[in-house]
Amino acid sequence: MEAPVQFKGARDRFSGVTISSEEEPASPQEFEAVLQASMSHWMEENIRGVWFKVDLEHADWVPVLVKHGFIYHHAQPQFVMMVKWLSVNEPNNIPRYAHNVVGVGAFVVNDQDELLVVRERFHTRPHWKLPGGYVEPGEDLGTAALREVKEETGIDAEFVSLVSFRHVHGANYNCSDIYFIVHLRPITQRITMCQRELTACEWMKLQEYVQHPYVHETNRFFAERFLECRRNGVKIQATNIFSPAFRKNQVIYSINSKVEKESINEKAENSSIDTQSLMNGDAKL
Amino acid sequence: MEAPVQFKGARDRFSGVTISSEEEPASPQEFEAVLQASMSHWMEENIRGVWFKVDLEHADWVPVLVKHGFIYHHAQPQFVMMVKWLSVNEPNNIPRYAHNVVGVGAFVVNDQDELLVVRERFHTRPHWKLPGGYVEPGEDLGTAALREVKEETGIDAEFVSLVSFRHVHGANYNCSDIYFIVHLRPITQRITMCQRELTACEWMKLQEYVQHPYVHETNRFFAERFLECRRNGVKIQATNIFSPAFRKNQVIYSINSKVEKESINEKAENSSIDTQSLMNGDAKL
């Protein structure tokens, strides 16, 4: 009888191996034999952890992997990633998958000191909120805010700074939720409201917003913080720095240092990153 | 012939239904018939989206669900969550699962202006880094920093403020990575190094750290920002505010407003949240 073929997989620097069902497909009939032969081999080779990336079309692998002690690690729409820790000498130290949902609220203030505010279609009580939404994979915070403002209100804007952010636990899918408030300066003024998501959208005097009864406590706090920071000439700016560890550019958010200069010349704000570089994800030192 | 039983599930406010395999188990033989009967019923009832939370022990449901058009949404070690959008009138607007990994670096500075620095065991080139690691589910940023410092160095500390944070894409598991730098004040001085993770740990003069050749650009930037913010008396403080939307407490991070007062009296820093409340996740207004 011919010995079953073994999975090749891709090795990583943590003595792990990852098998992709797309790259090494196996029929439901042959999968279990190939798995067993491979596992024996990996044990002999002191592989610490085995990963299976199982595409939708090979979903019949999943119950077999569970039978052999695999558990889930994470999933994307088209695949599930399963893992088994083999080492008996070391505890399983595989980091968890992401469990923080990240969203942005756009704090768009025009030259008349008016804030762009919206009413969402699906809600239980009246409120004036900030346009915004979830950050897409690979998206910077400023880019996400500009995209959401454009989608919901039709307004074009440019990134200025962060105002603040909120962290809360036990939100959607039982994840923690980080919500960044992004200060934008509008380039256009005419509102084209997204009818699907909103029932109202307008420019409201900032001072009115801070006192409005339909503004939730959290948004009132954000607005008060914005006004205080503007008075004091401080902000959370964005700077692009090349990361040798990641071998790519990263955005660093930190308080600007030019306190006095900024407070004197508030209009000529200089964030150290411009809108276009945020939009393109460009390298910029 | 008897009609198959239907799944009951739990309805949500978005006209969705979620079935838990733990709460409504079905054998591999009967699952498909129950699923088909239930789907017909849900179509008639204008259910927009159907979710299946499938535990490890019911993994044989997975290929059947895939056959009926379900895809993966997310997974935890013991279950996979699968979903199918039923509505033909509306596009699928189910938000994605979390794709941001969150970590903390602890910036621990003592009264002699020395920074707590470490060398990690697994690394390719010499470096002096900040103690830190991933934020656990449900953990606040300050709590995570205090825990990591204690685990790695044995030092007890208290939360002061955030210094800044970094956002980069395409990191582990192809997630985006947010790394918050948390300023802590040590309560103890004697180091008990974690041998498993580190090869060195010491108190280093902050001015030496800023110029040290073994400090990566990003950490140097963080240290420079810390010194500048201290000179200017500004910081990113943490405030607990009750969220009516989430019906729970949330931590809001924003720039402190008392610029002049703080710069005069730097030692008497007043973060508006104390260590204990961060550790306990207490309500505190």
Side-chain angles (χ1 to χ4, degrees), chain A residues 95 166 173 218 228 250 253 257, chain B residues 95 166 173 218 228 250 257:
Chain A
R166 176 211 62 202
Y173 313 130
T218 316
E228 275 188 11
Q250 54 191 347
Y253 299 89
S257 53
Chain B
R166 176 210 64 201
Y173 313 129
T218 315
E228 275 188 10
Q250 53 189 349
S257 54

Side-chain angles (χ1 to χ4, degrees), chain A residues 72 77 95 139-140 164-167 169 173 218 221 225 228 232 237 241 248 250-251 253-254 257, chain B residues 72 77 95 135 139-140 164-167 169 173 218 221 225 228 232 237 241 248 250-251 253-254 257:
Chain A
Y72 304 116
E139 213 174 31
D140 283 324
S164 53
F165 68 96
R166 176 211 62 202
H167 196 194
H169 308 296
Y173 313 130
T218 316
F221 186 88
R225 277 291 179 254
E228 275 188 11
N232 293 322
Q237 68 187 6
I241 286 195
K248 62 183 73 173
Q250 54 191 347
V251 186
Y253 299 89
S254 59
S257 53
Chain B
Y72 303 115
V135 174
E139 213 173 32
D140 283 323
S164 53
F165 67 97
R166 176 210 64 201
H167 195 196
H169 309 295
Y173 313 129
T218 315
F221 186 89
R225 277 290 179 256
E228 275 188 10
N232 293 323
Q237 69 187 4
I241 286 195
K248 59 182 77 173
Q250 53 189 349
V251 186
Y253 299 90
S254 58
S257 54

Side-chain angles (χ1 to χ4, degrees), chain B residues 116-146:
Chain B
L116 185 62
V117 294
V118 301
R119 282 198 197 198
E120 288 176 345
R121 185 165 288 281
F122 298 104
H123 230 271
T124 46
R125 50 178 184 151
H127 64 285
W128 283 112
K129 289 180 79 169
L130 305 174
Y134 289 114
V135 174
E136 295 288 329
E139 213 173 32
D140 283 323
L141 304 176
T143 316
L146 294 171

